[in-house]
Amino acid sequence: MLPPLAIHPQRPRDSAPPMFHALARCSPLTPPASSRSGWLHWFVMMLLVLMSMGVQAQAEAAVPIRLDDQTKRVDAWEQFSVLVDSGQALSLKQAIELRDQFTPAGAPRANLGKKNGAVWLRTTVEVPANSAVEWWFTIDYPSLDEVDLHIVSDGKVIKSATMGDYATFEQRPAATRLLAAPLTLEPGKTYELMLRVHTTSTLVLPISIMQTDALIAYESKVEMLQGMAFGIALCFALAMGLRAVYMRDPIYAWFALANTAGALFFFAYHGMAAQHLWPEHAWLTRNSTPALLLMMVAFGAFFTVRALNIHITDPKTHIALRIGGIMVLATIGLFMVGAINYQAALRVGALVAPLMTVLTFPAAIRLARRGERVAFWMFAGWGCYITGIIISTGLQGGQLPANVWTDHALQIGGLCDMVTWLMVLSVRAEEAGDKARVAQREHDRLVMISQTDPLTGLLNRRGLQRALQPAIDASDATHLTAVYLIDLDGFKAVNDTHGHEAGDELLVQVGQRLRAAVRETDLVARLGGDEFVIAAPKLAGQAQVDQIGAKLLACCATPFQLTHVTATVGMTAGYATAPVQGTDAAALLKQADAAMYLGKQSGKSRIQRSLAATV
């Protein structure tokens, strides 16, 4: 927002009135910022500064506004005096006749708060004789219901314009987001500006008079920033909506709905929706903001339930929050069909929204005590949003001046809250990923246990069956797969003589030697007892098959050093090859087993090829 131009001597805008300094000196919240209460001290000081900005008592009669060509924009609020028309009985003629009864506003800058009835405002405008520019009257608060502007010269009305959200966008005197009307002013004359305002909302009146190029520049800047904020919010909402469908997790859906409602609320609050979304529907312009605000509250509560896992950890609070959310949504429905009025809808929101936040606090505190990051981000978001609510409430209640910070405090707080929600979702996604990885590791561990021989760590029969067939399927005439079935010679004597512990130790060492004798890609399994299977895929030919067989036979060539004894055993193996002798894993194992028994019968300690016919 462009800074207001001083048009008569006054206190500098960056200095607080004496009242503020007195409050600061006598405030009990004066410990340094390093103390625990420092943050509260500065928060209160900030509110006091906001309250002091523009609380300039208009003790003296306002001087006329001089519209010279060098002044692009005039902040005209302080030059207006006020007359309250509680009964809405005054006509324009009567208001002109009562000009002497208009008094200084005596209120925070550009904020008269809530008033029953209508309010008349009056000022005078001087146009230099050499002026040749076009001027626009503007109020940068689009939520006002009815604003009637009258230009008076010598007691006669020379032009009138009606603004406000009771009219459609096409009916407005200017196609602008803010309330604006052209001023038809002749050079060298003095005019009265008579303004009648009636609204169900707060009388926030940031009045300015601008030249055309200044108005265009200001509107372009605001529309760009609000359009960017709206677009970013909708992108977030779309992304979370798609994620909700993909993940089937309601937390993303509630985020998307709350974010969409919030984006539309601020788009409507700042007059953008009436200009771009529903220019022909004055009813939506008047009533969309409270409905959207209530939607944001309800959907936000449902999001919080999921974010803090209240639906799991605290079923009673979950039921209470669901009831509160349903009440808010029901209020929206009643308001939209006209069963309750604007003020009643806001009262429900003002009652239910804080209650729903209070109900979620215990769950957040429990998570914070456990050191969970979700609680930190939720508290950070609440802090920003509550600060925005407090400042916005002060503005709507007439306690704070209207300026760029107070008017956008709720939007800034809501934006910060949404950012923290994104962090909450990131934490939840990270936690879900951690759980998935733990579950996968546990699954892999169980699979390994189910497919691994507990004694030797080699594949067991199940593991071999799962891995062998794919290896055989990948074989062809130039890439053979040899399946060797091994039975130890003399193992029973070792087991009977030295005991099962020695036998087990021997089996472990045999498995280690077999594993070391083959390639990393070869399969080594123990079927049970003293039977082992080696599957060697991607062999170039029979010579490589025989070479691996020789390595296996050599594994028992030297004695085994056991804990209490040295043992000697032999090895007899039979083998079959794929695809030469078949491509079925079970059939090849049977052929290798038959070849092993043939080797036993032929003298043991040898490698015997299967005699089965080739395919």
Side-chain angles (χ1 to χ4, degrees):
M1 181 178 290
L2 298 176
L5 300 175
I7 59 176
H8 65 276
Q10 59 181 7
R11 183 186 296 111
R13 289 197 176 275
D14 59 350
S15 65
M19 176 188 70
F20 167 72
H21 295 293
L23 287 171
R25 286 194 299 270
C26 68
S27 172
L29 301 171
T30 54
S34 60
S35 68
R36 291 186 177 181
S37 61
W39 67 271
L40 183 60
H41 166 73
W42 292 114
F43 177 73
V44 174
M45 291 300 102
M46 179 188 69
L47 289 182
L48 290 174
V49 168
L50 289 171
M51 291 178 67
S52 68
M53 292 171 59
V55 187
Q56 314 292 348
Q58 297 168 306
E60 57 188 60
V63 299
I65 300 173
R66 183 174 176 81
L67 301 179
D68 58 84
D69 292 2
Q70 288 72 37
T71 303
K72 296 292 185 179
R73 172 176 175 168
V74 176
D75 182 3
W77 162 253
E78 293 181 5
Q79 276 60 53
F80 275 89
S81 51
V82 178
L83 178 65
V84 178
D85 180 15
S86 300
Q88 304 186 53
L90 291 179
S91 64
L92 172 60
K93 181 179 180 181
Q94 291 171 325
I96 294 173
E97 292 173 352
L98 296 174
R99 61 168 61 91
D100 292 338
Q101 296 186 23
F102 282 72
T103 60
R109 176 187 177 277
N111 191 353
L112 293 176
K114 295 184 182 294
K115 300 288 185 183
N116 293 324
V119 172
W120 287 88
L121 296 96
R122 174 189 175 276
T123 192
T124 55
V125 175
E126 292 181 353
V127 183
N130 58 351
S131 178
V133 299
E134 184 179 28
W135 293 92
W136 292 80
F137 177 89
T138 67
I139 302 178
D140 195 2
Y141 190 73
S143 298
L144 299 173
D145 292 344
E146 296 176 302
V147 179
D148 297 319
L149 172 67
H150 305 283
I151 303 174
V152 180
S153 178
D154 298 327
K156 297 181 180 180
V157 179
I158 62 172
K159 186 175 182 180
S160 297
T162 299
M163 299 166 281
D165 58 21
Y166 269 41
T168 64
F169 189 78
E170 286 81 358
Q171 294 171 336
R172 295 184 180 183
T176 54
R177 171 195 61 85
L178 47 65
L179 305 182
L183 295 177
T184 304
L185 306 175
E186 295 183 14
K189 288 190 175 183
T190 299
Y191 298 89
E192 283 184 280
L193 297 184
M194 300 292 295
L195 194 68
R196 181 186 183 275
V197 184
H198 171 254
T199 188
T200 55
S201 61
T202 304
L203 283 165
V204 177
L205 299 167
I207 301 172
S208 298
I209 300 176
M210 307 185 198
Q211 292 188 24
T212 302
D213 55 350
L215 174 61
I216 293 173
Y218 177 70
E219 278 290 90
S220 299
K221 178 181 178 181
V222 173
E223 292 212 9
M224 180 193 70
L225 294 175
Q226 290 296 334
M228 287 176 58
F230 184 65
I232 291 171
L234 289 188
C235 287
F236 280 150
L238 177 61
M240 293 301 107
L242 293 175
R243 192 172 182 86
V245 174
Y246 178 73
M247 300 292 292
R248 297 183 181 181
D249 189 341
I251 190 172
Y252 297 104
W254 295 130
F255 178 94
L257 290 171
N259 199 42
T260 301
L264 287 170
F265 167 77
F266 292 115
F267 207 60
Y269 176 82
H270 292 291
M272 303 286 289
Q275 182 177 6
H276 298 290
L277 298 183
W278 44 75
E280 299 179 359
H281 300 281
W283 187 90
L284 283 175
T285 300
R286 291 194 304 274
N287 299 299
S288 60
T289 49
L292 290 168
L293 183 60
L294 291 173
M295 287 181 190
M296 186 168 58
V297 169
F299 297 145
F302 295 148
F303 169 85
T304 304
V305 166
R306 290 282 172 174
L308 299 178
N309 286 328
I310 295 175
H311 60 297
I312 298 173
T313 60
D314 194 345
K316 292 183 179 179
T317 301
H318 179 215
I319 293 173
L321 289 170
R322 287 185 64 183
I323 293 173
I326 292 171
M327 287 178 58
V328 172
L329 294 177
T331 300
I332 296 171
L334 293 173
F335 172 69
M336 298 298 283
V337 300
I340 60 175
N341 60 23
Y342 182 97
Q343 297 298 337
L346 290 183
R347 280 196 293 270
V348 172
L351 174 65
V352 176
L355 179 61
M356 296 174 76
T357 302
V358 169
L359 287 174
T360 60
F361 257 71
I365 291 173
R366 286 195 297 270
L367 293 180
R369 288 175 175 173
R370 295 204 299 262
E372 295 197 24
R373 288 179 295 161
V374 166
F376 167 77
W377 288 113
M378 291 301 295
F379 279 120
W382 283 336
C384 295
Y385 193 51
I386 290 173
T387 300
I389 289 176
I390 292 173
I391 295 174
S392 181
T393 301
L395 175 69
Q396 296 299 318
Q399 288 82 35
L400 293 179
N403 56 51
V404 66
W405 298 110
T406 56
D407 194 35
H408 293 81
L410 185 60
Q411 186 173 18
I412 294 171
L415 177 62
C416 293
D417 195 27
M418 288 296 174
V419 170
T420 62
W421 282 18
L422 286 174
M423 296 306 299
V424 167
L425 290 176
S426 298
V427 171
R428 285 299 185 213
E430 183 179 341
E431 291 174 350
D434 290 341
K435 290 179 180 179
R437 285 187 288 272
V438 170
Q440 184 62 45
R441 285 196 295 268
E442 181 64 18
H443 175 267
D444 293 342
R445 187 181 71 85
L446 294 174
V447 169
M448 183 185 68
I449 291 173
S450 68
Q451 299 181 4
T452 303
D453 175 46
L455 177 62
T456 63
L458 304 176
L459 293 174
N460 60 14
R461 186 180 295 273
R462 177 181 293 179
L464 178 65
Q465 290 174 345
R466 182 176 181 180
L468 181 57
Q469 189 62 55
I472 293 173
D473 292 341
S475 60
D476 55 37
T478 58
H479 298 85
L480 305 178
T481 298
V483 179
Y484 303 85
L485 193 146
I486 298 169
D487 186 81
L488 299 181
D489 302 328
F491 173 75
K492 185 176 185 300
V494 174
N495 216 28
D496 294 343
T497 303
H498 304 290
H500 291 290
E501 290 184 0
D504 289 346
E505 189 177 356
L506 176 61
L507 291 174
V508 170
Q509 291 191 24
V510 170
Q512 291 172 348
R513 290 188 184 186
L514 291 173
R515 180 74 269 177
V518 298
R519 302 166 300 176
E520 286 291 332
T521 55
D522 296 340
L523 304 176
V524 182
R526 176 179 174 238
L527 297 185
D530 59 341
E531 283 190 334
F532 296 84
V533 172
I534 285 82
K538 297 184 179 180
L539 301 179
Q542 185 62 41
Q544 197 170 2
V545 173
D546 295 338
Q547 183 183 12
I548 291 178
K551 287 184 178 181
L552 297 176
L553 196 61
C555 290
C556 291
T558 58
F560 293 88
Q561 298 296 326
L562 307 181
T563 302
H564 301 293
V565 68
T566 299
T568 300
V569 294
M571 175 191 298
T572 300
Y575 72 89
T577 57
V580 178
Q581 294 171 296
T583 56
D584 180 73
L588 288 173
L589 282 172
K590 287 181 180 179
Q591 293 175 28
D593 185 57
M596 182 270 295
Y597 277 106
L598 180 60
K600 290 274 191 181
Q601 295 170 359
S602 301
K604 300 183 180 181
S605 298
R606 59 187 296 171
I607 300 292
Q608 178 67 49
R609 181 178 181 179
S610 172
L611 299 180
T614 59
V615 176

